[in-house]
Amino acid sequence: MLKRLLKNPLSLTGIVLLVLFFFMALAAPWLAPPAKPCPSFVYYIVPDWLLRPFMKELPCEPFRIPRDGFRATPLPPDPQAWTTFPPRLKDESGRMLHPLGTTENRYDIWYGLVWGTRTALIAGILIVGCTLLIGIILGAISGYFGGWVDSVLMRGVDFVLALPTFLMTLVILSIWGRGLDKIVLVDILFGWAGYARFVRGIILSVREREFVAGAKALGASHWHIIFRHVLPNSIYPVLILASLDIGSIVLGLSGLSFLGLGQGEDYADWGQMIAFARNRIVGVAGGDVMQYWYTWVFPGMTITLFVLAWNLLGDAVRDILDPRLRGMR
Amino acid sequence: MLGFIIRRLLFLPFLWFAITLLTFLLLEPLGPYQRVALFINVNPEQAFGGKLTKEQLQRLIEKYGLDRPAIEQYIRWIRQVFQGNFGWSKVAQKPVFEAIRERLPATFELGLYAVLPVVLIAIWLGVLSAVHHNKPLDHTLRFFSITGYSLPTFVFGIFVLMFFYGILGWFPPGRLSFWAERIVYDATQFTRYTGLNTIDAILNNRWDIFWDALRHLILPVLTLSYLSWAGLQRVTRSSMLETLRQDYITTARAKGLTERVVILKHGLRNAMIPVTTIAVPTVIGLMLSGVVITETVFNYKGLGLLSVDATLQFDVPMVLGFTLIGTSLIVLTNLLVDILYVFIDPRVRYD
């Protein structure tokens, strides 16, 4: 499968882009080092919205973008930051340099994009991982046992699928308040149903195979059969298709933070950076329209390439897994 | 068929019930003082001369039972809803029902212009793309469609706004220009029959206002429809390609039918079956979140923009009102799709 993906120019583009994005996320502390180093590597990996419930005070928040003064107007990119790679964020005199300029309110765009990649991938992987886990467990139970267990679980799935996810997100955020932690939680609450139904379908077809009957005849327990025999023989397409959902999940997250429902304005999050660009697309009155081009070009391009990469890869993978589903999602 | 429609319509109140009950259960962890601001019908500041003491708040909480269990509060609320009272919206500064009645036409106008052209153009282009499979036209259309579903609505909206407003100055954001707004909301000069500015302008025979409303609509409509257009075109193309490979298409061609009849009658009708079931509900779902983002990008004062403000300011009754309307829209469109399905695919019977 990998060979076919690498041969197709479209999916190859997708893979190359995704490798770049993963590199950006992994190398974030090197590409855009925070002003003061954190006391523990944990702060680099676990975002503050996950740490907050467990710690009263956070000594270090690398996901918050450094701010250069308190003026509202954006600053243009500094070419002298690019004399080295990774670009310098400070010159010899300690003045801040901005490799890609700043957004409105002077948040560094380079820093925001690099750490925003980390935010996007952490949130995306977390959501897909949790929904998948719930989906697989419930789907496997439902498909394997059948009968009333199946009916009850599948009515639950029907109900969750009937709820309008985006609208329910708004309702819940209006009660709990904004924040990525809440958005992630809501996505998990409403996201598992599709996977559960999908897994159930696969389990139903595997359940009747000889090796399951064989395991039963040998006296294996239900759990042993489900997790050692049934799931390993049916899980791979589910895992692959689910991991491709990261692109659209990140798109949803950044849409919500564009609306102002994310972590707040200094947080490294692509949607938030686009929201800043909105006020600057026409430059200043009577001046050059393109004066603040960097505020919307860089964040806009980053998020578009990210989604494009997942879509390119996703299309190719779906074609290989099931040619009849070509182009449908 | 009628039985099927009634069964499906009965599902709607059930869904409303579930969503509202869920909301009340989620409100349970909040304290009664936080809840007092959400569930009273009058504006507390006006009702008490601008001064609310702690005792008065306490009396309000007791009067409306906000310290009672969630279920009891819920029954109280449902009773009010049956009397047509959906609560007070802090953000709109008026009852939720009135706020929705005021803002719904704007969103409806946007959706109306976004949905119909999308469906027709997307299907047409999808067919074109399939008929010209692997030719330059197909490649061009596929390029636009793949960029279309990769460009987030808010990025696309900002790009077109920058180009058509910032550089060209053709299509400004907002819903009406200032001068037009003054005329439209002046009852002596202008009668608002439907609340849809373009239609009202024609009915009032004010073509300058019609043009102004249209100018403000073009970019939001384009932004809202581009993503759905890209998806729908893709599905139509692949479904059409699948259909054109079938034996009956070869038979139809062998009978000597014209290519037009083969493609539109034998091909498209069969290709439309997966398009209606898969694509139309997806498009409606996309439109709901799309409308909220589009209205925010263009500062288009509709229900979506109001709901975002409401979400940011803990205005639960308003968000709940928007959600119930959105849910109804989804359920009703799905029902409509299922009914249409019978006409598109005569093999389907619901009884």
Side-chain angles (χ1 to χ4, degrees):
Chain A
M1 176 153 160
L2 193 63
K3 215 186 224 167
R4 279 180 68 182
L5 287 177
L6 291 175
K7 248 195 238 161
N8 179 344
L10 287 179
S11 53
L12 181 65
T13 318
I15 290 175
V16 169
L17 282 172
L18 283 184
V19 168
L20 277 177
F21 275 113
F22 271 96
F23 170 74
M24 232 161 109
L26 285 173
W30 176 65
L31 287 170
K36 58 172 196 259
C38 290
S40 159
F41 71 96
V42 174
Y43 300 107
Y44 291 125
I45 298 169
V46 189
D48 45 317
W49 41 270
L50 280 178
L51 284 174
R52 194 78 61 187
F54 308 105
M55 296 174 73
K56 271 224 172 62
E57 243 171 70
L58 292 172
C60 180
E61 293 177 76
F63 287 87
R64 305 231 169 238
I65 311 172
R67 185 171 185 177
D68 189 1
F70 288 87
R71 305 273 294 278
T73 46
L75 289 172
D78 290 318
Q80 75 219 57
W82 289 100
T83 48
T84 56
F85 190 85
R88 291 181 301 163
L89 296 178
K90 270 196 174 77
D91 66 5
E92 294 77 15
S93 61
R95 193 176 62 92
M96 283 174 94
L97 291 176
H98 305 290
L100 299 178
T102 72
T103 62
E104 187 175 85
N105 294 353
R106 305 222 161 149
Y107 295 107
D108 190 80
I109 292 179
W110 168 256
Y111 192 95
L113 291 182
V114 169
W115 285 88
T117 313
R118 199 170 252 224
T119 308
L121 283 174
I122 287 176
I125 291 171
L126 192 68
I127 293 173
V128 168
C130 292
T131 43
L132 199 55
L133 195 69
I134 302 174
I136 287 176
I137 292 176
L138 292 183
I141 292 175
S142 186
Y144 180 79
F145 289 107
W148 66 268
V149 180
D150 186 33
S151 313
V152 170
L153 281 173
M154 282 304 119
R155 288 301 80 74
V157 166
D158 286 342
F159 172 66
V160 174
L161 286 178
L163 290 174
T165 316
F166 178 76
L167 298 173
M168 286 314 289
T169 312
L170 287 191
V171 171
I172 290 178
L173 290 180
S174 74
I175 297 172
W176 289 347
R178 59 184 194 156
L180 270 179
D181 47 346
K182 286 131 191 162
I183 298 177
V184 168
L185 191 62
V186 171
D187 273 359
I188 294 170
L189 276 180
F190 296 114
W192 57 273
Y195 296 137
R197 175 176 280 179
F198 192 59
V199 172
R200 171 182 175 270
I202 293 177
I203 300 281
L204 279 181
S205 66
V206 175
R207 190 175 65 166
E208 305 302 330
R209 302 256 292 271
E210 289 83 2
F211 62 85
V212 177
K216 249 185 214 156
L218 288 172
S221 72
H222 288 312
W223 295 114
H224 183 85
I225 296 175
I226 292 178
F227 288 104
R228 297 303 292 274
H229 296 280
V230 176
L231 275 179
N233 277 293
S234 50
I235 207 68
Y236 290 105
V238 186
L239 289 181
I240 291 169
L241 287 178
S243 63
L244 292 173
D245 286 344
I246 290 178
S248 55
I249 284 170
V250 167
L251 186 60
L253 287 178
S254 53
L256 287 168
S257 54
F258 169 77
L259 294 174
L261 296 166
Q263 275 301 99
E265 67 165 37
D266 64 341
Y267 205 77
D269 185 315
W270 296 333
Q272 176 61 48
M273 303 186 76
I274 305 268
F276 274 136
R278 195 168 74 109
N279 300 328
R280 297 289 164 182
I281 44 170
V282 289
V284 284
D288 178 15
V289 170
M290 302 295 274
Q291 189 179 359
Y292 299 118
W293 59 275
Y294 44 88
T295 58
W296 48 268
V297 166
F298 295 126
M301 261 174 45
T302 309
I303 184 164
T304 307
L305 286 179
F306 185 81
V307 180
L308 183 71
W310 286 104
N311 282 341
L312 287 175
L313 185 64
D315 277 4
V317 170
R318 286 188 192 93
D319 276 359
I320 292 171
L321 283 183
D322 187 356
R324 286 186 313 125
L325 287 176
R326 199 178 300 257
M328 298 186 194
R329 279 206 293 179
Chain B
M1 187 70 182
L2 193 66
F4 168 76
I5 294 174
I6 291 171
R7 267 203 310 278
R8 287 288 295 271
L9 283 178
L10 282 178
F11 180 62
L12 191 55
F14 172 73
L15 207 56
W16 283 342
F17 172 74
I19 289 173
T20 48
L21 186 62
L22 196 64
T23 312
F24 269 76
L25 293 178
L26 288 168
L27 279 166
E28 182 71 359
L30 301 182
Y33 285 99
Q34 284 162 299
R35 264 178 253 151
V36 77
L38 306 177
F39 289 101
I40 45 181
N41 183 34
V42 289
N43 182 352
E45 279 172 24
Q46 284 165 7
F48 297 93
K51 286 190 284 291
L52 255 179
T53 61
K54 195 151 186 173
E55 292 81 60
Q56 282 170 324
L57 266 180
Q58 193 56 44
R59 234 181 301 147
L60 271 179
I61 290 170
E62 269 164 33
K63 186 176 170 203
Y64 292 102
L66 293 176
D67 46 356
R68 316 293 302 168
I71 297 295
E72 206 179 314
Q73 288 184 51
Y74 182 64
I75 293 168
R76 228 175 224 275
W77 181 79
I78 282 275
R79 259 197 219 129
Q80 287 290 311
V81 168
F82 276 115
Q83 290 163 23
N85 174 11
F86 283 84
W88 176 266
S89 164
K90 265 189 305 191
V91 173
Q93 286 292 310
K94 56 184 65 155
V96 169
F97 192 73
E98 258 177 55
I100 289 178
R101 207 173 50 189
E102 205 178 273
R103 293 286 193 111
L104 190 61
T107 302
F108 183 70
E109 191 173 23
L110 183 58
L112 186 72
Y113 287 109
V115 170
L116 282 179
V118 160
V119 173
L120 296 178
I121 295 176
I123 290 173
W124 178 58
L125 291 178
V127 171
L128 267 189
S129 199
V131 171
H132 296 264
H133 185 45
N134 278 341
K135 300 232 176 70
L137 182 68
D138 183 29
H139 290 307
T140 319
L141 286 172
R142 283 177 75 190
F143 172 78
F144 276 110
S145 128
I146 205 162
T147 47
Y149 69 82
S150 297
L151 264 173
T153 313
F154 47 95
V155 175
F156 181 74
I158 279 178
F159 282 9
V160 291
L161 191 62
M162 196 276 303
F163 188 71
F164 288 103
Y165 176 59
I167 295 181
L168 298 173
W170 289 354
F171 307 124
R175 200 177 165 214
L176 279 174
S177 299
F178 186 60
W179 64 267
E181 214 160 52
R182 278 208 329 225
I183 296 171
V184 167
Y185 291 102
D186 182 355
T188 56
Q189 294 187 52
F190 195 90
T191 323
R192 309 194 75 210
Y193 300 100
T194 57
L196 311 179
N197 286 337
T198 45
I199 292 174
D200 284 349
I202 295 176
L203 292 176
N204 281 285
N205 206 14
R206 288 295 302 255
W207 292 92
D208 51 340
I209 290 183
F210 173 78
W211 171 235
D212 190 64
L214 201 64
R215 239 159 59 99
H216 286 84
L217 263 173
I218 288 174
L219 289 188
V221 165
L222 185 69
T223 306
L224 182 58
S225 52
Y226 193 50
L227 184 68
S228 319
W229 168 79
L232 199 56
Q233 192 232 5
R234 245 156 58 94
V235 178
T236 311
R237 174 181 174 276
S238 56
S239 169
M240 194 69 191
L241 278 179
E242 181 79 26
T243 313
L244 288 181
R245 273 201 292 270
Q246 302 294 321
D247 290 340
Y248 55 76
I249 297 290
T250 320
T251 313
R253 284 206 178 108
K255 278 199 300 192
L257 293 178
T258 58
E259 193 60 18
R260 196 185 157 75
V261 174
V262 172
I263 285 165
L264 292 184
K265 206 168 164 199
H266 295 246
L268 185 60
R269 259 206 77 186
N270 283 296
M272 282 308 286
I273 294 168
V275 173
T276 29
T277 43
I278 299 173
V280 175
T282 319
V283 165
I284 296 299
L286 280 179
M287 289 259 173
L288 266 179
S289 59
V291 100
V292 173
I293 289 172
T294 307
E295 287 183 4
T296 310
V297 171
F298 293 97
N299 196 24
Y300 182 92
K301 293 201 169 45
L303 209 48
L305 189 58
L306 186 62
S307 313
V308 174
D309 288 342
T311 311
L312 284 167
Q313 296 177 40
F314 301 95
D315 188 350
V316 181
M318 185 64 236
V319 181
L320 205 52
F322 178 61
T323 303
L324 294 183
I325 288 193
T327 315
S328 323
L329 188 73
I330 294 178
V331 171
L332 291 180
T333 356
N334 284 341
L335 177 63
L336 197 68
V337 167
D338 285 341
I339 294 172
L340 269 180
Y341 203 40
V342 175
F343 295 99
I344 292 172
D345 188 353
R347 287 168 296 186
V348 173
R349 289 273 179 282
Y350 288 122
D351 298 314

